[in-house]
Amino acid sequence: MKTITELIKLSETPSDDEFTLKMDKVDESFEGLCEEIGVDCPMDKVNELKEAAGAIILDLKYHFNRPRPYKLAELYNIELDTNEIKKTTADSAAYPSGHSAQATLIAHYLANKYPLHRGKFLKLGRDIARSRIIAKVHYPSDVSMGEMIGNDMFRYLKEKELI
């Protein structure tokens, strides 16, 4: 029942192709922000964190195997105005959101590295996560869980002094 409720909410969510396409490349989004605010972007570390989070998320996706919103919408004759991002997500399940986990983890890492710009990094992480809902490739609960995983991964890595 929750999935159908989320699907109906997604159908009512306004699209913003420019925003969602801009947010689709997690690493490039953070690299652009670093350039914009004039700080060095440690792309090796950003990509390492992105890949680590992605590997964990992929295992969870296979476990839960939740269909993407646009796939389920077809079954219920619910109209979702998706864009080309759905072509890059077609082979994986929805839950949890990998982009949300990766963006949250990287945002916290960069916010920790550059505390004067903490708010900007965290906002970008949230924007990337939110863009997955606006693109209608994730349910809100996919994004929430992705953010929780990203937060937990950051706390764990920081506690173990790995970042």
Side-chain angles (χ1 to χ4, degrees):
M1 192 66 166
K2 180 178 181 174
T3 298
I4 299 304
T5 302
E6 286 187 290
L7 194 55
I8 291 167
K9 270 193 133 136
L10 283 177
S11 73
E12 298 166 351
T13 301
S15 293
D16 185 342
D17 290 351
E18 183 180 344
F19 175 71
T20 58
L21 293 169
K22 181 180 176 188
M23 297 291 121
D24 191 46
K25 303 285 188 221
V26 174
D27 49 353
E28 291 176 16
S29 294
F30 282 103
E31 185 176 36
L33 178 56
C34 286
E35 186 176 304
E36 180 184 311
I37 60 177
V39 298
D40 178 52
C41 191
M43 288 307 290
D44 288 349
K45 186 55 119 177
V46 165
N47 285 317
E48 179 186 335
L49 293 171
K50 180 182 163 191
E51 288 178 28
I56 291 168
I57 293 295
L58 200 54
D59 283 345
L60 293 169
K61 284 179 179 287
Y62 285 127
H63 174 76
F64 292 106
N65 202 28
R66 186 182 201 187
R68 294 279 179 171
Y70 52 85
K71 290 183 177 181
L72 198 57
E74 291 173 17
L75 294 174
Y76 290 98
N77 292 320
I78 295 173
E79 185 70 32
L80 289 185
D81 54 339
T82 57
N83 59 26
E84 65 190 62
I85 290 175
K86 92 174 183 183
K87 294 176 190 168
T88 65
T89 64
D91 294 335
S92 68
Y95 185 85
S97 167
H99 276 72
S100 300
Q102 292 167 330
T104 301
L105 173 59
I106 293 166
H108 281 293
Y109 167 72
L110 291 171
N112 187 64
K113 184 172 180 61
Y114 301 113
L116 290 177
H117 302 287
R118 177 179 179 75
K120 291 178 183 176
F121 288 118
L122 296 179
K123 180 183 181 312
L124 178 56
R126 286 189 306 273
D127 284 349
I128 291 169
R130 188 170 51 90
S131 78
R132 308 307 284 173
I133 295 167
I134 295 169
K136 297 169 181 79
V137 294
H138 280 289
Y139 305 92
S141 56
D142 301 340
V143 168
S144 294
M145 181 53 75
E147 290 174 320
M148 285 175 26
I149 291 168
N151 284 327
D152 288 346
M153 288 181 73
F154 176 74
R155 276 193 294 274
Y156 175 83
L157 293 170
K158 184 140 171 75
E159 180 181 298
K160 298 293 180 183
E161 298 179 3
L162 297 171
I163 54 175

